[in-house]
């Protein structure tokens, strides 16, 4: 049986909204929230509870997004998912920021060589977004993260790799907005700082089973030619497959894949 845990990540609240733009920020938060939700979608009560909106406001905004095609409604479950217009916008963005297409073969090779689940994540503000996932041939699959799902930066191996190798100033800006009370399984800020220090010392990020106790994850950053972090590659597996000598083998495979991807992302002369 495959361990699995899916939950919609709640985008951080904006406290610096420009005057008159509150409704825009609310609509954008709804889109992010729905985009990070499980495949079955989210209901009106989920939006009200997790985004702190009143039922009339949430219903009005969901109806507007539905009318414009950015959301779709499952008539049986009464749940909302991303709609056709969101898909079209995603295609337009992919054509301009198409790291997934460039990295696809690297993510697949990682899954094939390790036998476990590999991920590609990118940063979106103070969150990490999974943009690709491939599974290996080991019978127990780690499917805790689906394509499109978001997590706070630092939570999970790939997300921690994105955070730990930013500049010190960028890390402090992220930590200033980090809210450990937003979900019961989030590490404290002090624990997150310790994770960052360990990742920098080791050269890779390790999730020691905080999301699911019997699952470990390991991730490395991907740098551009100016040494800015542009993505993270990670592998997740059951605990027995990511310990001792095999952990170092997986780290080495990740670092090779990261170097190859960095070279592929570098602009050609």
């Amino acid at each position: 049986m495959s361990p699995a845990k899916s939950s919609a990540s709640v985008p951080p609240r904006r406290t610096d909204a420009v005057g008159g733009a509150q409704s825009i920020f609310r609509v954008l938060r709804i889109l992010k929230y729905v985009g990070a939700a499980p495949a079955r979608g989210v209901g009106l009560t989920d939006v009200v509870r997790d985004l702190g909106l009143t039922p009339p406001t949430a219903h009005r905004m969901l109806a507007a997004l539905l009318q414009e095609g950015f959301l779709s409604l499952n008539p049986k479950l009464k749940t909302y998912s991303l709609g056709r217009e969101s898909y079209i916008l995603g295609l337009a963005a992919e054509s301009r920021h198409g790291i997934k297409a460039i990295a696809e073969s690297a993510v697949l090779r990682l899954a094939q060589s390790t036998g476990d689940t590999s991920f590609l994540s990118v940063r979106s503000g103070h969150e990490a977004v999974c943009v690709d996932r491939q599974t290996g041939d080991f019978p127990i699959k780690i499917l805790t993260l689906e394509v499109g799902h978001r997590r706070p930066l630092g939570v999970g191996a790939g997300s921690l790799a994105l955070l730990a190798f930013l500049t010190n100033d960028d890390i402090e800006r992220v930590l200033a907005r980090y809210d450990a009370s937003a979900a019961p399984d989030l590490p404290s800020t002090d624990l997150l700082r310790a994770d960052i220090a360990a990742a920098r010392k080791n050269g890779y990020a390790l999730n020691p089973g905080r999301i699911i106790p019997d699952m470990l994850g390991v991730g490395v950053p991907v740098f551009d030619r100016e040494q800015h972090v542009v993505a993270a590659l990670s592998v997740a597996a059951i605990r027995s497959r990511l310990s001792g000598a095999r952990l170092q083998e997986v780290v080495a495979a990740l670092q090779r894949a990261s170097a190859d991807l960095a070279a592929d992302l570098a602009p050609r002369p």
Side-chain angles (χ1 to χ4, degrees):
M1 181 177 179
S2 302
K5 178 182 179 182
S6 296
S7 61
S9 171
V10 181
R13 294 176 181 273
R14 291 295 300 260
T15 57
D16 55 346
V18 239
Q22 186 181 45
S23 293
I24 297 173
F25 284 120
R26 285 175 170 175
V27 167
L28 293 175
R29 287 178 61 219
I30 288 175
L31 275 176
K32 287 183 178 182
Y33 177 75
V34 175
R40 69 179 298 275
V42 298
L44 173 63
T45 55
D46 299 317
V47 176
V48 170
R49 180 191 66 235
D50 292 336
L51 298 187
L53 300 176
T54 64
T57 297
H59 183 269
R60 184 172 68 251
M61 292 180 173
L62 288 167
L65 288 167
L66 185 64
Q67 179 179 321
E68 293 299 317
F70 288 97
L71 295 182
S72 62
L73 178 64
N74 184 315
K76 291 184 178 179
L77 298 176
K78 302 297 183 184
T79 55
Y80 296 88
S81 303
L82 292 182
R84 175 179 51 84
E85 291 300 326
S86 294
Y87 172 72
I88 292 171
L89 281 181
L91 290 177
E94 174 67 16
S95 68
R96 294 168 174 81
H97 312 284
I99 190 171
K100 177 181 177 181
I102 299 173
E104 190 172 26
S105 59
V107 181
L108 180 59
R109 283 196 303 271
L110 271 173
Q112 292 172 338
S113 64
T114 63
D116 295 304
T117 308
S118 60
F119 303 90
L120 174 71
S121 302
V122 297
R123 180 184 178 187
S124 175
H126 288 64
E127 296 175 311
V129 183
C130 175
V131 294
D132 196 11
R133 182 185 77 183
Q134 299 292 335
T135 56
D137 58 7
F138 189 71
I140 301 177
K141 314 293 184 187
I142 301 299
L143 306 175
T144 56
L145 195 59
E146 297 183 16
V147 173
H149 278 193
R150 296 170 176 264
R151 283 180 178 161
L153 280 176
V155 179
S159 182
L160 178 58
L162 287 172
L163 175 62
F165 296 92
L166 294 175
T167 65
N168 291 336
D169 287 345
D170 281 342
I171 289 174
E172 291 305 318
R173 277 191 282 270
V174 171
L175 292 179
R177 291 276 298 276
Y178 179 72
D179 181 10
S181 66
D185 56 352
L186 294 184
S188 67
T189 303
D190 288 343
L191 194 54
L192 194 51
R193 286 187 182 278
D195 287 344
I196 291 169
R200 287 184 158 196
K201 177 182 178 182
N202 296 328
Y204 62 86
L206 183 67
N207 168 24
R210 293 206 179 100
I211 298 171
I212 293 180
D214 292 330
M215 182 215 82
L216 268 64
V218 58
V220 300
V222 179
F223 297 100
D224 63 15
R225 64 185 305 169
E226 284 80 33
Q227 292 302 294
H228 299 140
V229 181
V230 293
L233 292 167
S234 58
V235 169
I238 58 174
R239 184 174 293 274
S240 61
R241 289 178 60 78
L242 276 181
S243 58
R246 190 171 190 280
L247 172 61
Q248 298 308 315
E249 291 173 4
V250 173
V251 168
L254 281 163
Q255 290 173 336
R256 287 192 299 270
S258 172
D260 290 345
L261 180 53
D264 289 341
L265 292 172
R268 302 291 191 269

